Amino acid sequence: MAGAAGTVGTAGATGAPGARGTAGSAGRDRIRTASRLVVKVGSSSLTTPQGMIDVDRVDALVDVLGARRQAGTQIVLVSSGAIAAGLGPLGLRARPKDLATQQAAASVGQGVLVARYTSSFARYGLRVGQVLLTADDMMRRSHHRNAQRTLARLLELGIVPVVNENDTVATDEIRFGDNDRLAALVAHLIHADAMVLLSDVDALYDGDPRREGTTRIAEVRGPGDLEGVELGTSGRVGTGGMVTKVQAARIATGAGVPVVLTAAAHAAQALAGADVGTYFHPGGRHPGTRLLWLAHAATGRGRLHLDAGAVEAVVGRRMSLLPAGVVNVEGDFAAGDPVDLCGPLGVPVARGLVNYDATEIPELLGRSTRELASALGPEYERELIHRDDIVILEADHQTNGARGNV
């Protein structure tokens, strides 16, 4: 990609000249014909500058979704805005910085937000159901299955699920505010046909759209299409930004779900398959749900530090992790928890579900399974982490983090 590092355009930047790489109708038709659709909307698309719910904006969004639902498409709405909606009722002028006040605002705002959706969807004879999730619900297998069953049943009953992070009790989630990632995981959870990310930006651009020569990135087929593009920051009341949206798109497309990123004002065009926003092509693989949440929803509860030989075995040859290759253990975790596997430099290279409690592992370090079975009993002749419970993490310089390779 030639030229200076780029940014993202705002909803008012649709007049930026040109568009690079127009997605073919066959691609965008997957949005238009989707029978099960996840739509995510950000805080700034729903609220006034003072933090109050903007009734007209909510109604405009519901007009689009209600019409699509009446046409037969099942829709799951992943909606931010609980904290923002609570600012006005609490008399707060800006999003609070301390966790307790954020959670108080979420507690008040969640009711305001769902009440508004309930009233707005009722105009179309549709009912909504509130579903509050945390990362732990996507990480713990039993919780994960329950969430899947609940969403499936709501859709069967003709309900429009309104999903949000449970910000009143969440800690990491409320600090990092990643409903974009949650939407991608929900899309995989319910086997959605497509996902639409609505925000206060109308597309991904290869530069500042206010400058001459800047073009909209109409489609993304892979990471190479984003080389040289600097991802912008968040809007005025939300906590997610373009970084999280690209991460979410990668999660969804990696699970075979096509994604359109555009402004909430262009929701109707996006759902109709029009050439608006940025279209992310789906990949050909559809990983199992368990590995997907391990790679993208799970947070390591601890760390196992591996020697170079163990890294090669786990990452290079995709083998199970044995005690002999582990040199140190960090954290307080139980058997079955996700832990990060770190190389000699301390950088996480993989994540897996550990078979032992943290307190058991120090006695096992550096010893072969045969030796352990002889000294401690046959139940210790097993791996620390089985290869089927390991995902490889690849450095992701575009999003300043790591992403799972499942």
Side-chain angles (χ1 to χ4, degrees):
M1 180 178 299
T7 57
V8 295
T10 64
T14 55
R20 190 177 66 200
T22 302
S25 59
R28 299 219 181 221
D29 274 353
R30 294 187 62 174
I31 310 295
R32 180 180 61 82
T33 61
S35 60
R36 180 171 287 186
L37 189 65
V38 170
V39 177
K40 186 268 177 180
V41 62
S43 301
S44 57
S45 300
L46 300 172
T47 56
T48 67
Q50 293 74 34
M52 301 290 288
I53 287 291
D54 190 319
V55 174
D56 291 336
R57 288 187 176 191
V58 173
D59 285 347
L61 173 64
V62 172
D63 286 341
V64 176
L65 302 184
R68 182 65 180 262
R69 179 67 190 87
Q70 287 186 327
T73 299
Q74 293 179 329
I75 293 176
V76 173
L77 175 61
V78 178
S79 177
S80 299
I83 295 177
L87 301 184
L90 290 178
L92 301 174
R93 295 184 177 181
R95 182 185 179 95
K97 295 182 179 180
D98 66 291
L99 182 61
T101 308
Q102 288 177 11
Q103 291 176 322
S107 178
V108 173
Q110 194 63 251
V112 174
L113 185 64
V114 173
R116 185 59 241 167
Y117 277 130
T118 299
S119 175
S120 192
F121 274 105
R123 297 177 298 134
Y124 290 86
L126 297 171
R127 295 181 181 274
V128 304
Q130 185 181 41
V131 179
L132 298 178
L133 299 172
T134 66
D136 203 51
D137 293 320
M138 303 297 283
M139 185 169 62
R140 298 290 180 180
R141 285 187 238 191
S142 60
H143 293 192
H144 190 275
R145 288 193 297 269
N146 288 337
Q148 190 174 47
R149 284 193 294 263
T150 298
L151 287 168
R153 186 58 179 147
L154 286 170
L155 293 173
E156 289 173 359
L157 293 170
I159 305 299
V160 178
V162 177
V163 179
N164 193 4
E165 286 183 330
N166 192 353
D167 287 340
T168 59
V169 299
T171 53
D172 288 344
E173 295 79 16
I174 204 171
R175 280 198 292 264
F176 300 111
D178 204 346
N179 266 351
D180 299 304
R181 182 178 62 156
L182 176 61
L185 293 165
V186 168
H188 186 270
L189 188 72
I190 67 168
H191 303 289
D193 299 306
M195 181 173 79
V196 177
L197 296 175
L198 301 176
S199 182
D200 55 357
V201 298
D202 73 328
L204 183 63
Y205 283 82
D206 65 359
D208 188 334
R210 295 168 297 184
R211 296 176 182 171
E212 185 177 354
T214 300
T215 58
R216 170 175 63 98
I217 300 175
E219 61 178 318
V220 174
R221 295 183 178 273
D225 291 340
L226 297 179
E227 290 181 3
V229 176
E230 279 188 13
L231 303 179
T233 56
S234 64
R236 54 179 171 78
V237 292
T239 53
M242 189 57 68
V243 169
T244 69
K245 289 167 180 56
V246 171
Q247 287 176 335
R250 286 176 172 170
I251 294 170
T253 55
V257 180
V259 177
V260 167
L261 164 65
T262 193
H266 301 159
Q269 298 98 306
L271 268 64
D275 183 20
V276 296
T278 300
Y279 178 82
F280 294 81
H281 288 263
R285 302 171 59 196
H286 198 281
T289 300
R290 184 171 59 85
L291 290 181
L292 192 76
W293 67 250
L294 182 59
H296 298 291
T299 300
R301 300 295 178 90
R303 289 189 166 200
L304 299 179
H305 292 266
L306 283 54
D307 60 28
V311 171
E312 170 58 25
V314 170
V315 177
R317 292 179 282 157
R318 302 297 179 98
M319 298 178 67
S320 298
L321 177 64
L322 301 178
V326 180
V327 298
N328 191 27
V329 57
E330 295 180 20
D332 181 14
F333 52 84
D337 280 347
V339 296
D340 289 336
L341 311 183
C342 302
L345 297 179
V347 177
V349 296
R351 182 174 297 133
L353 301 177
V354 67
N355 288 327
Y356 295 88
D357 295 346
T359 54
E360 296 180 275
I361 295 179
E363 187 178 0
L364 313 180
L365 300 186
R367 304 169 70 179
S368 70
T369 53
R370 180 175 298 179
E371 177 188 352
L372 290 170
S374 176
L376 303 175
E379 67 271 21
Y380 285 89
E381 193 172 8
R382 57 193 170 105
E383 60 281 320
L384 284 182
I385 305 178
H386 192 275
R387 64 183 181 183
D388 292 342
D389 291 328
I390 294 175
V391 292
I392 309 304
L393 301 178
E394 295 180 349
D396 187 348
H397 302 294
Q398 285 294 326
T399 53
N400 300 315
R403 57 190 174 92
N405 180 0
V406 295

